Amino acid sequence: MHLISRCMREKTVSIVVCTFNGSRYLRPQLDSLLAQTYPVAEIIVQDDGSTDDTMHILADYAANHPSIKVFSNQGPHGINANFYSAMRRASSQWIALCDQDDVWEPQKIERQMAAIGHHLLCAGRSVPFSADGSFVHDDGRRPNTTLLRMLYCAEIAGHTMLLNRRLLDMVPMQSAVCRNRCYDIVLSVAAAACGSIQWIDEVLVHQRRYASANTYTSVEDSLPTAHNGVRMLRWCLRHYADVKRRSAGTYRDWEEFLTLLGADNPVARDGIRMMQLQQSSRLADVLKLTLFCARHREEILHTKGRFPQNLIRAVLFPLTSCYYQRAVVLKESK
């Protein structure tokens, strides 16, 4: 209790929730926010044009809990614009992001506020559970939250994030990445480029998964199994040239983002260099990228370690990295 009291004097927290037709599971989430052991300055809820009972539920909670402040967008914003707009309403230096249908552990904010220190971003584990029988999988491995990994793969869930407002102010909103990539990926890449992520290896959130959720996708075909590994490699061999050509713009956007971010340090410079090499199809640059991946395998692969199989995975990464861009092929093929 003494720790919480001291933190309250020094640091205030705003929780930001974005809603859209979330009435089915909204009450348990709001209850878990109100049950936090670390008192928060405000709970900002911004709705994006719900047509169900979401606004009625929010009005009821706001009437009984003064910390809850409800806003409604004039016209649909979409997930990204809604979150960016709602975050800017926060009055606190520290902002915790929240989805409309999960359940937080009571000590989530307390643990993060005690851990974040001078870092720009603090996150922890999110354990999925099925609300309708949809497939869920909990990857118990510790995520790799380095920049080179997160330029390809989202390792941090937005609903576990506690961030310093400075991080939001640093993000170059004029970049194409901010228009085309999910807000949590953008924030985590920006924090990683600054070498400023604090990871708590504890369960902070219970993530409700169901087929109609905007962010739900089955990950059965991406689990780290030998069968999936062989299937992925075959897909990459078949589609490499096409994906390489079509994804050059994505890598160019990330290069622009990192340049505009202005984080002048070895980590950010490595990220820019890797994005430059990924844009080129010249054999010399492909070989340079292969050597780069071998040298930086600790930062690129999910599972760390300098054992032989990781060296093989790193050498193959210029090929297999196209699997992370497969959505480009699927989208343009429609």
Side-chain angles (χ1 to χ4, degrees):
M1 185 61 68
H2 174 70
L3 175 61
I4 297 176
S5 298
R6 180 167 59 83
C7 287
M8 284 177 61
R9 290 195 299 270
E10 299 174 354
K11 302 176 181 178
T12 59
V13 179
S14 297
I15 297 177
V16 170
V17 188
C18 285
T19 59
F20 176 71
N21 289 343
S23 62
R24 187 177 181 186
Y25 303 118
L26 183 56
R27 292 181 185 274
Q29 175 66 298
L30 292 175
D31 289 340
S32 74
L33 305 186
L34 293 167
Q36 289 298 297
T37 57
Y38 189 103
V40 298
E42 59 190 356
I43 300 174
I44 294 172
V45 188
Q46 185 160 293
D47 187 74
D48 200 31
S50 292
T51 57
D52 62 359
D53 289 334
T54 294
M55 289 302 294
H56 295 293
I57 294 172
L58 293 176
D60 179 54
Y61 270 78
N64 291 284
H65 303 281
S67 63
I68 296 180
K69 303 174 182 179
V70 180
F71 301 90
S72 181
N73 294 331
Q74 298 300 311
H77 284 41
I79 294 175
N80 275 354
N82 197 21
F83 262 105
Y84 283 127
S85 173
M87 280 188 276
R88 297 193 186 283
R89 294 187 184 275
S91 62
S92 303
Q93 181 68 26
W94 305 91
I95 303 171
L97 304 184
C98 179
D99 288 341
Q100 64 183 2
D101 42 20
D102 303 324
V103 178
W104 282 13
E105 284 288 323
Q107 292 185 318
K108 176 185 182 294
I109 297 297
E110 180 184 347
R111 289 290 299 114
Q112 290 185 288
M113 289 300 288
I116 193 167
H118 65 277
H119 294 89
L120 293 171
L121 182 78
C122 180
R125 290 195 177 278
S126 172
V127 176
F129 68 97
S130 179
D132 62 358
S134 298
F135 179 83
V136 296
H137 170 71
D138 178 26
D139 190 339
R141 298 174 298 173
R142 185 185 180 99
N144 186 346
T145 57
T146 55
L147 174 63
L148 296 185
R149 176 65 182 176
M150 291 199 294
L151 284 167
Y152 296 91
C153 187
E155 295 282 319
I156 298 178
H159 56 260
T160 72
M161 290 182 175
L162 174 76
L163 59 108
N164 189 314
R165 190 184 188 88
R166 289 192 295 116
L167 177 61
L168 179 62
D169 295 337
M170 290 169 55
V171 171
M173 295 302 299
Q174 72 272 32
S175 68
V177 161
C178 292
R179 296 190 298 272
N180 300 326
R181 302 304 294 265
C182 196
Y183 70 94
D184 52 357
I185 296 175
V186 171
L187 291 170
S188 58
V189 166
C194 297
S196 195
I197 295 177
Q198 178 64 40
W199 176 259
I200 300 177
D201 203 23
E202 299 177 15
V203 175
L204 301 180
V205 178
H206 299 271
Q207 183 189 27
R208 194 187 306 271
R209 299 278 72 198
Y210 50 100
S212 59
N214 286 332
T215 58
Y216 178 80
T217 54
S218 176
V219 295
E220 288 184 84
D221 62 350
S222 299
L223 298 183
T225 64
H227 172 74
N228 283 340
V230 171
R231 183 184 53 78
M232 181 185 77
L233 186 59
R234 287 175 177 170
W235 189 95
C236 293
L237 286 168
R238 186 165 61 251
H239 295 284
Y240 174 76
D242 191 27
V243 176
K244 183 75 173 177
R245 175 178 56 84
R246 297 190 187 194
S247 60
T250 298
Y251 295 124
R252 186 163 53 250
D253 289 346
W254 276 122
E255 179 192 356
E256 175 202 45
F257 177 85
L258 293 173
T259 302
L260 291 172
L261 186 67
D264 188 17
N265 59 61
V267 171
R269 288 194 292 271
D270 282 342
I272 291 173
R273 179 57 176 159
M274 191 175 197
M275 295 299 95
Q276 291 171 339
L277 291 172
Q278 281 282 24
Q279 295 171 51
S280 174
S281 297
R282 294 175 60 245
L283 178 58
D285 288 333
V286 173
L287 293 175
K288 289 177 183 178
L289 179 60
T290 301
L291 292 174
F292 181 97
C293 292
R295 187 166 63 251
H296 292 277
R297 56 190 180 277
E298 291 280 307
E299 299 122 278
I300 292 172
L301 302 176
H302 186 106
T303 304
K304 293 187 176 183
R306 302 190 72 83
F307 31 85
Q309 54 266 47
N310 265 12
L311 179 58
I312 295 172
R313 293 190 185 105
V315 169
L316 289 174
F317 194 78
L319 168 66
T320 59
S321 62
C322 76
Y323 194 72
Y324 296 108
Q325 305 298 332
R326 63 191 182 278
V328 176
V329 174
L330 297 176
K331 181 179 180 180
E332 294 188 10
S333 297
K334 290 182 179 180

